[in-house]
Amino acid sequence: MKVLVINCGSSSLKFQLIDSESEKCLAKGLCERIGIEGSMITYAPEDGEKEKTVTPMPDHTEAIRLVLEALTNQKTGVVGSLDEIGAVGHRIVHGGEKFAQSVVIDAEVLAAVEACNDLAPLHNPANLIGIDACRKLMPNTPMVGVFDTAFHQTMPEEAYMYGLPYEYYQKYKIRRYGFHGTSHSYVSKRAAEVLGKPYEELKIIVCHLGNGASVSAVKGGKCVDTSMGLTPLEGLMMGTRSGDMDPAIIEFLAHKEGKGIDEIMAVLNKKSGVLGLSDNLSSDFRDLEDGYNAGDENAIRALKAYCYRVAKCIGSYVAAMNGVDVICFTAGIGENAPLVRTFVCSYLGYLGVELDQAANAKRGEDIAITTPQSRTTVMVIPTNEELAIARETVRLVK
Ligand code: ADP
């Protein structure tokens, strides 16, 4: 079956068409600046040239229409007609406590997702708009929703509750949910597969280090803890997000800088993390690594603090699981920044981690980067959230 995977944001939309038998991506692309002047679509068929077209996209329905047109285009398309697309898989950011699994989308599901909008006001409404647009243009094609939060729903209460008045959980469902679940699930499973060991018997820590970053503890195939919380702001320091900090800083800054809550939240989300800590050098780890190698003190400060946090989080999950067998690095930074992996692993002597620097220098492979003697195995497993969504979609519509 050919599955269209859609990841819809408020002004952008990423798509991939995946053949579920070969698990190959047939075409992929991106619509940007939807509803804004200068909108454009990038389309890349598997064996062809990438093309970028600037064209008006007043709304998401028009964006999806252009995606479908590109996929069925006589010259550069990869399917003869829309009938060849058997199902659509949608990434949905927040499923609250309602969704511990992916689901076939129907009116009831849409209402339940909408009820989670408060928990992810920037993401869920955009996901719903994408679903709505697809349903309009492909009314007879089954659609599946795959939630970023679902994999983490197995966390025990002691891991997901905050030390806040219990009534806030009862009234507003304020608790830790976690994100990047599709990636944590895919990577931990894949690690077990590559090692040829039963997933159900392993203790795995996955470090998903991209623009957003989170770590999760997966014991016997179930997530028992993860570093993001009610929102993706909690946990690790990220590209531009602060991650954990003393909540009283918010009040302190409000007084000192005369800022309102929205302005402060914008600072914590967009101007903090390694961008802020490097005194605005960059949020991109390519720049930070270059800076580090050139002896730039802003880059050194940010990189060191970033890696220290990751290592500390790993340590807390070793405690949570009473041990660890495998530690995985994934996503943009996890897959591509050997220096970050080296720094993080330099804290893991107590786990008997011995890095194999030649393996650590490789890229793009599912690979162990520790020596055969290393007591704990550290791996790089490139994530593939789109493939994971396509697999879930096929599983549910078949
Ligand atoms: P997103 O969370 O947006 O999906 P990604 O997982 O694609 O993010 O990660 C993007 C980040 O990965 C970039 O901001 C950059 O810091 C980092 N990155 C990408 N390529 C490299 C590289 N070759 N070396 C170091 N860091 C990289």
Side-chain angles (χ1 to χ4, degrees), residues 87-308:
V88 183
H90 291 272
R91 174 188 181 217
I92 303 178
V93 168
H94 218 307
E97 286 187 328
K98 173 90 181 166
F99 298 104
Q101 299 281 340
S102 310
V103 281
V104 175
I105 294 172
D106 58 20
E108 200 182 318
V109 166
L110 289 176
V113 172
E114 202 177 335
C116 299
N117 279 2
D118 268 359
L119 295 170
L122 295 179
H123 295 101
N124 268 31
N127 299 157
L128 283 167
I129 288 170
I131 294 170
D132 193 48
C134 275
R135 276 161 56 106
K136 266 191 207 139
L137 296 166
M138 309 166 84
N140 301 316
T141 311
M143 315 252 159
V144 168
V146 180
F147 299 89
D148 261 26
T149 49
F151 183 61
H152 305 303
Q153 276 296 304
T154 48
M155 281 194 287
E157 195 178 39
E158 60 268 31
Y160 71 69
M161 288 307 291
Y162 290 111
L164 290 171
Y166 192 62
E167 62 173 300
Y168 296 150
Y169 170 67
Q170 291 171 309
K171 276 202 274 192
Y172 310 119
K173 292 282 171 225
I174 292 182
R175 49 158 283 178
R176 309 183 60 255
Y177 291 94
F179 298 87
H180 298 135
T182 311
S183 176
H184 287 289
S185 163
Y186 173 87
V187 168
S188 54
K189 260 187 219 134
R190 183 78 192 124
E193 220 170 81
V194 172
L195 293 173
K197 294 192 174 157
Y199 189 41
E200 301 70 32
E201 289 172 17
L202 289 173
K203 295 172 182 172
I204 305 174
I205 294 174
V206 179
C207 308
H208 177 110
L209 312 178
N211 281 320
S214 67
V215 182
S216 70
V218 184
K219 189 178 181 184
K222 294 206 159 60
C223 177
V224 294
D225 208 343
T226 192
S227 61
M228 282 178 168
L230 174 76
T231 75
L233 188 55
E234 189 180 340
L236 302 178
M237 191 183 296
M238 309 181 206
T240 63
R241 294 184 203 138
S242 65
D244 290 345
M245 56 168 218
D246 182 343
I249 293 171
I250 294 175
E251 185 202 21
F252 188 89
L253 265 182
H255 291 318
K256 289 283 182 201
E257 297 265 311
K259 284 186 160 67
I261 192 73
D262 291 344
E263 281 174 287
I264 296 197
M265 292 317 290
V267 171
L268 299 186
N269 274 301
K270 299 197 176 119
K271 296 194 170 159
S272 301
V274 290
L275 174 70
L277 192 54
S278 67
D279 203 12
N280 293 316
L281 177 65
S282 180
S283 65
D284 192 309
F285 278 67
R286 284 163 284 210
D287 302 331
L288 294 175
E289 283 195 339
D290 289 348
Y292 182 88
N293 291 326
D296 181 314
E297 62 181 30
N298 289 317
I300 295 171
R301 181 189 321 114
L303 265 178
K304 280 191 164 173
Y306 180 89
C307 295
Y308 176 69

